[in-house]
mmCIF file of all heavy atoms in Angstrom:
data_model
loop_
_atom_site.group_PDB
_atom_site.id
_atom_site.type_symbol
_atom_site.label_atom_id
_atom_site.label_comp_id
_atom_site.label_asym_id
_atom_site.label_seq_id
_atom_site.Cartn_x
_atom_site.Cartn_y
_atom_site.Cartn_z
ATOM 1 N N ILE A 18 41.570 -28.097 24.571
ATOM 2 C CA ILE A 18 42.058 -26.853 23.977
ATOM 3 C C ILE A 18 42.474 -25.893 25.090
ATOM 4 O O ILE A 18 42.001 -26.001 26.220
ATOM 5 C CB ILE A 18 40.998 -26.179 23.077
ATOM 6 C CG1 ILE A 18 39.698 -25.897 23.849
ATOM 7 C CG2 ILE A 18 40.756 -26.979 21.820
ATOM 8 C CD1 ILE A 18 38.651 -25.142 23.058
ATOM 9 N N ALA A 19 43.361 -24.978 24.744
ATOM 10 C CA ALA A 19 43.734 -23.888 25.643
ATOM 11 C C ALA A 19 43.024 -22.628 25.152
ATOM 12 O O ALA A 19 42.993 -22.350 23.956
ATOM 13 C CB ALA A 19 45.246 -23.687 25.639
ATOM 14 N N LEU A 20 42.452 -21.884 26.089
ATOM 15 C CA LEU A 20 41.775 -20.629 25.781
ATOM 16 C C LEU A 20 42.660 -19.475 26.237
ATOM 17 O O LEU A 20 43.388 -19.600 27.225
ATOM 18 C CB LEU A 20 40.430 -20.556 26.505
ATOM 19 C CG LEU A 20 39.487 -21.748 26.346
ATOM 20 C CD1 LEU A 20 38.215 -21.517 27.145
ATOM 21 C CD2 LEU A 20 39.189 -22.015 24.892
ATOM 22 N N ASN A 21 42.578 -18.345 25.560
ATOM 23 C CA ASN A 21 43.414 -17.195 25.919
ATOM 24 C C ASN A 21 42.775 -16.307 26.989
ATOM 25 O O ASN A 21 43.106 -15.138 27.114
ATOM 26 C CB ASN A 21 43.777 -16.372 24.677
ATOM 27 C CG ASN A 21 42.604 -15.595 24.107
ATOM 28 O OD1 ASN A 21 41.449 -15.830 24.461
ATOM 29 N ND2 ASN A 21 42.893 -14.672 23.209
ATOM 30 N N VAL A 22 41.879 -16.862 27.778
ATOM 31 C CA VAL A 22 41.277 -16.174 28.916
ATOM 32 C C VAL A 22 41.431 -17.069 30.141
ATOM 33 O O VAL A 22 41.395 -18.296 30.027
ATOM 34 C CB VAL A 22 39.783 -15.831 28.673
ATOM 35 C CG1 VAL A 22 39.637 -14.709 27.663
ATOM 36 C CG2 VAL A 22 38.995 -17.049 28.221
ATOM 37 N N GLY A 23 41.640 -16.434 31.301
ATOM 38 C CA GLY A 23 41.859 -17.203 32.522
ATOM 39 C C GLY A 23 41.269 -16.504 33.732
ATOM 40 O O GLY A 23 40.328 -15.715 33.624
ATOM 41 N N ALA A 24 41.878 -16.765 34.877
ATOM 42 C CA ALA A 24 41.375 -16.212 36.137
ATOM 43 C C ALA A 24 41.312 -14.681 36.113
ATOM 44 O O ALA A 24 40.395 -14.083 36.674
ATOM 45 C CB ALA A 24 42.249 -16.688 37.296
ATOM 46 N N ALA A 25 42.264 -14.058 35.441
ATOM 47 C CA ALA A 25 42.263 -12.595 35.346
ATOM 48 C C ALA A 25 41.029 -12.063 34.623
ATOM 49 O O ALA A 25 40.640 -10.912 34.810
ATOM 50 C CB ALA A 25 43.532 -12.106 34.635
ATOM 51 N N ASN A 26 40.398 -12.919 33.815
ATOM 52 C CA ASN A 26 39.197 -12.531 33.075
ATOM 53 C C ASN A 26 37.913 -13.020 33.746
ATOM 54 O O ASN A 26 36.828 -12.836 33.208
ATOM 55 C CB ASN A 26 39.248 -13.089 31.656
ATOM 56 C CG ASN A 26 40.524 -12.726 30.945
ATOM 57 O OD1 ASN A 26 41.463 -13.508 30.939
ATOM 58 N ND2 ASN A 26 40.582 -11.542 30.374
ATOM 59 N N GLY A 27 38.055 -13.726 34.875
ATOM 60 C CA GLY A 27 36.881 -14.236 35.580
ATOM 61 C C GLY A 27 36.547 -15.681 35.275
ATOM 62 O O GLY A 27 35.509 -16.179 35.707
ATOM 63 N N VAL A 28 37.401 -16.393 34.557
ATOM 64 C CA VAL A 28 37.145 -17.803 34.227
ATOM 65 C C VAL A 28 37.372 -18.661 35.468
ATOM 66 O O VAL A 28 38.323 -18.440 36.223
ATOM 67 C CB VAL A 28 38.045 -18.284 33.077
ATOM 68 C CG1 VAL A 28 37.810 -19.767 32.783
ATOM 69 C CG2 VAL A 28 37.804 -17.454 31.825
ATOM 70 N N ALA A 29 36.499 -19.647 35.678
ATOM 71 C CA ALA A 29 36.610 -20.569 36.811
ATOM 72 C C ALA A 29 36.397 -21.999 36.310
ATOM 73 O O ALA A 29 35.735 -22.219 35.286
ATOM 74 C CB ALA A 29 35.575 -20.229 37.876
ATOM 75 N N VAL A 30 36.972 -22.951 37.035
ATOM 76 C CA VAL A 30 36.782 -24.371 36.707
ATOM 77 C C VAL A 30 35.285 -24.674 36.711
ATOM 78 O O VAL A 30 34.545 -24.217 37.577
ATOM 79 C CB VAL A 30 37.533 -25.268 37.716
ATOM 80 C CG1 VAL A 30 37.152 -26.729 37.527
ATOM 81 C CG2 VAL A 30 39.037 -25.087 37.571
ATOM 82 N N GLY A 31 34.845 -25.440 35.721
ATOM 83 C CA GLY A 31 33.435 -25.822 35.619
ATOM 84 C C GLY A 31 32.619 -24.960 34.673
ATOM 85 O O GLY A 31 31.499 -25.322 34.319
ATOM 86 N N MET A 32 33.170 -23.818 34.257
ATOM 87 C CA MET A 32 32.456 -22.969 33.288
ATOM 88 C C MET A 32 32.395 -23.656 31.931
ATOM 89 O O MET A 32 33.283 -24.427 31.568
ATOM 90 C CB MET A 32 33.157 -21.622 33.114
ATOM 91 C CG MET A 32 32.947 -20.658 34.210
ATOM 92 S SD MET A 32 33.759 -19.085 33.787
ATOM 93 C CE MET A 32 33.059 -18.042 35.046
ATOM 94 N N TYR A 33 31.342 -23.345 31.190
ATOM 95 C CA TYR A 33 31.192 -23.862 29.831
ATOM 96 C C TYR A 33 31.376 -22.730 28.829
ATOM 97 O O TYR A 33 30.940 -21.604 29.063
ATOM 98 C CB TYR A 33 29.805 -24.473 29.636
ATOM 99 C CG TYR A 33 29.642 -25.811 30.305
ATOM 100 C CD1 TYR A 33 29.147 -25.893 31.601
ATOM 101 C CD2 TYR A 33 29.986 -26.986 29.643
ATOM 102 C CE1 TYR A 33 28.996 -27.123 32.228
ATOM 103 C CE2 TYR A 33 29.833 -28.220 30.262
ATOM 104 C CZ TYR A 33 29.340 -28.277 31.556
ATOM 105 O OH TYR A 33 29.193 -29.495 32.165
ATOM 106 N N PHE A 34 32.016 -23.055 27.712
ATOM 107 C CA PHE A 34 32.198 -22.127 26.601
ATOM 108 C C PHE A 34 31.772 -22.814 25.319
ATOM 109 O O PHE A 34 31.829 -24.043 25.213
ATOM 110 C CB PHE A 34 33.684 -21.728 26.460
ATOM 111 C CG PHE A 34 34.142 -20.732 27.490
ATOM 112 C CD1 PHE A 34 34.496 -21.140 28.763
ATOM 113 C CD2 PHE A 34 34.226 -19.383 27.173
ATOM 114 C CE1 PHE A 34 34.916 -20.232 29.717
ATOM 115 C CE2 PHE A 34 34.649 -18.461 28.126
ATOM 116 C CZ PHE A 34 34.996 -18.888 29.391
ATOM 117 N N GLU A 35 31.336 -22.018 24.361
ATOM 118 C CA GLU A 35 31.077 -22.517 23.004
ATOM 119 C C GLU A 35 32.210 -22.046 22.110
ATOM 120 O O GLU A 35 32.590 -20.872 22.152
ATOM 121 C CB GLU A 35 29.763 -21.977 22.452
ATOM 122 C CG GLU A 35 28.563 -22.689 22.988
ATOM 123 C CD GLU A 35 27.285 -22.237 22.301
ATOM 124 O OE1 GLU A 35 26.874 -21.087 22.541
ATOM 125 O OE2 GLU A 35 26.721 -23.035 21.538
ATOM 126 N N VAL A 36 32.743 -22.974 21.313
ATOM 127 C CA VAL A 36 33.714 -22.605 20.291
ATOM 128 C C VAL A 36 32.912 -22.212 19.063
ATOM 129 O O VAL A 36 32.034 -22.955 18.616
ATOM 130 C CB VAL A 36 34.669 -23.770 19.965
ATOM 131 C CG1 VAL A 36 35.641 -23.378 18.866
ATOM 132 C CG2 VAL A 36 35.426 -24.216 21.218
#
Side-chain angles (χ1 to χ4, degrees):
I18 57 176
L20 309 179
N21 72 346
V22 288
N26 307 95
V28 178
V30 170
M32 284 184 168
Y33 285 92
F34 284 81
E35 282 187 290
V36 178

